[in-house]
Amino acid sequence: MRWMVTGAGGMLGTDLVERLRAQDAQVIALPRSALDIRDREAVLRALRELRPSVVINCAAWTAVDDAETQEDAALRVNGHAVAFLAEGCAEVGARLVQPSTDYVFDGSAHEPYAEDAATAPLGAYGRTKLAGELAVLETLPSTGYVVRTAWMYGRAGASFVRTMIRLEAERETVNVVDDQHGQPTWTRDLAASLVDLVRADAPAGIYHGTSSGRTTWYGLAREVFTLLGADPGRVRPVTSAEFPRPAPRPAFGVLGHKRWEAAGLSPIRHWRDALRAAWPEMAGSA
């Protein structure tokens, strides 16, 4: 099996390539400098020449707030480019794994969103990611995977966890939003789950690749302070209204994991257990 990873230099791509190489898999790692997925001809040419069995697309526009004023640019990466990858995968007979986001939901739920729950993105970022989902599901109904994730952190790239580590050293107190609920997800855990999903030959379709359990940004910040040996009382809860941002955030982005179990696979472990396992790497790299 030959794996191709686009966006291989990013947070998820870095851990994914490392995971595959640790398993002695044949990996074609393509950072943005090696393949601009916005270029349809370049995408089709790469797929025809490299003939991968599986493509995992880790390339994405992730600047949520910027997408509000640059939706067309975000759509080129998160929507149109994914359609190019799906087209090419259909031509060469490759499977495609497309990470997506909880932002495809409006956050009005009170129980974890099922994989088949109705989507209703609040902002531009969610709309562009939903366009990518639809491109995969429509073009590759039997060989395409959409894996929604959220609140990612890892050793490569910026993340909320890394920001909290820095702010603990810089500020006496930190104000953090306590009315947005989600699932912090370590990219190393997600990478392992994506590989397992393909290797198990699981049914195509939508899966939710987030840690188990739930918390708020405030709860996550307190856990980071605790792991640093700092007083978690230095983290102060505030509302989203006190921290206005250009892009609306879903108040409830907790995702359900029933399709993993239906496919005979285990969902990702609890977010707190994952953070503690990731801690030596996160604290060291920070």
Side-chain angles (χ1 to χ4, degrees):
M1 186 181 292
R2 177 180 291 185
W3 302 72
M4 187 170 103
V5 179
T6 56
M11 186 189 302
L12 177 58
T14 297
D15 281 344
L16 185 58
V17 171
E18 183 177 279
R19 175 76 176 187
L20 288 166
R21 286 178 174 162
Q23 297 178 345
D24 294 323
Q26 187 175 1
V27 186
I28 305 161
L30 299 176
R32 183 171 55 184
S33 59
L35 178 63
D36 182 350
I37 64 169
R38 297 171 298 178
D39 184 336
R40 177 177 178 272
E41 292 307 315
V43 168
L44 296 180
R45 183 169 56 251
L47 287 165
R48 289 165 183 162
E49 292 176 356
L50 298 171
R51 311 294 295 190
S53 308
V54 182
V55 176
I56 303 183
N57 178 35
C58 296
W61 177 294
T62 58
V64 174
D65 289 324
D66 290 345
E68 290 299 306
T69 55
Q70 303 176 60
E71 186 166 356
D72 287 346
L75 184 61
R76 287 181 63 199
V77 181
N78 293 342
H80 301 329
V82 178
F84 301 155
L85 286 166
E87 177 187 354
C89 285
E91 179 182 322
V92 304
R95 285 182 279 182
L96 175 60
V97 181
Q98 173 61 33
S100 191
T101 174
D102 62 314
Y103 278 66
V104 299
F105 297 115
D106 65 8
S108 63
H110 300 287
E111 294 297 330
Y113 282 99
E115 292 84 352
D116 60 356
T119 55
L122 296 173
Y125 172 69
R127 288 192 294 269
T128 65
K129 292 296 285 185
L130 181 58
E133 289 191 12
L134 295 175
V136 173
L137 298 173
E138 291 172 4
T139 306
L140 301 168
S142 60
T143 55
Y145 299 92
V146 168
V147 183
R148 296 175 181 139
T149 190
W151 295 26
M152 288 194 299
Y153 63 91
R155 76 177 189 278
S159 67
F160 178 85
V161 170
R162 190 179 300 279
T163 297
M164 288 301 107
I165 293 173
R166 174 176 58 82
L167 292 182
E168 187 280 327
E170 295 176 356
R171 301 182 185 178
E172 184 59 33
T173 61
V174 179
N175 295 333
V176 181
V177 169
D178 193 31
D179 56 3
Q180 294 174 23
H181 301 258
Q183 296 155 306
T185 303
W186 187 19
T187 49
R188 185 176 294 185
D189 278 350
L190 177 58
S193 292
L194 296 180
V195 174
D196 290 347
L197 184 70
V198 174
R199 289 197 184 280
D201 198 22
I206 300 171
Y207 292 80
H208 287 165
T210 51
S211 292
S212 301
R214 68 181 77 172
T215 187
T216 64
W217 292 115
Y218 167 72
L220 176 56
R222 284 179 58 88
E223 189 69 15
V224 169
F225 271 56
T226 297
L227 291 171
L228 286 168
D231 178 9
R234 290 167 54 199
V235 181
R236 307 290 176 81
V238 297
T239 66
S240 297
E242 295 175 78
F243 261 86
R245 304 288 295 275
R249 267 69 172 169
F252 188 86
V254 180
L255 306 180
H257 306 120
K258 289 185 178 179
R259 284 212 73 200
W260 291 98
E261 296 164 356
L265 298 167
S266 298
I268 296 174
R269 58 183 152 178
H270 194 278
W271 72 267
R272 187 174 283 109
D273 295 333
L275 181 61
R276 290 174 179 172
W279 191 248
E281 179 179 286
M282 292 302 299
S285 62

